[in-house]
């Protein structure tokens, strides 16, 4: 992704991290006691946060990707809940 910035490379990253985003959404639903039927919307919002993180991540700054992406994914999910 860093070299090519191709859509297919970004989509592969999204597929790779989708279970992680789903897990974050499940944890937040449990923690904030949110209706489970809204979980799909939360996963969608989390994926939007993931895409934002993928596009803005800079490996040169030294942070691991998940460390960088977690607040963005979590924030996008919470923003969608509120």
């Amino acid at each position: 992704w860093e070299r090519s910035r191709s859509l297919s490379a970004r989509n592969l990253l999204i597929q790779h991290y989708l279970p992680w985003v789903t897990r974050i959404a499940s944890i937040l639903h449990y923690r904030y006691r949110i209706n489970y039927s809204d979980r799909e919307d939360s996963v969608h919002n989390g994926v939007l946060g993931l895409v934002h993180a993928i596009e803005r991540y800079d490996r040169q700054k030294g942070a691991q990707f998940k460390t960088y992406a977690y607040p963005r994914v979590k924030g996008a999910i919470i923003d969608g809940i509120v």
Side-chain angles (χ1 to χ4, degrees):
W1 163 254
E2 288 183 54
R3 285 175 275 171
S4 68
R5 295 281 178 180
S6 72
L7 188 59
S8 61
R10 187 183 74 176
N11 288 342
L12 285 174
L13 284 171
I14 292 169
Q15 284 181 323
H16 176 77
Y17 287 106
L18 184 60
W20 179 65
V21 171
T22 303
R23 193 172 330 120
I24 294 169
S26 295
I27 290 168
L28 292 175
H29 272 253
Y30 176 77
R31 183 176 297 155
Y32 296 110
R33 304 196 193 312
I34 296 161
N35 186 353
Y36 195 74
S37 64
D38 297 332
R39 188 166 156 253
E40 282 186 32
D41 290 335
S42 293
V43 171
H44 174 74
N45 290 331
V47 168
L48 293 176
L50 177 65
V51 169
H52 180 78
I54 289 170
E55 291 176 350
R56 297 188 185 273
Y57 176 67
D58 183 2
R59 186 171 45 151
Q60 303 299 332
K61 293 188 177 180
Q64 291 183 352
F65 178 72
K66 279 188 173 182
T67 303
Y68 176 79
Y70 180 78
R72 281 145 189 82
V73 171
K74 181 181 175 184
I77 293 170
I78 291 173
D79 286 348
I81 290 170
V82 177

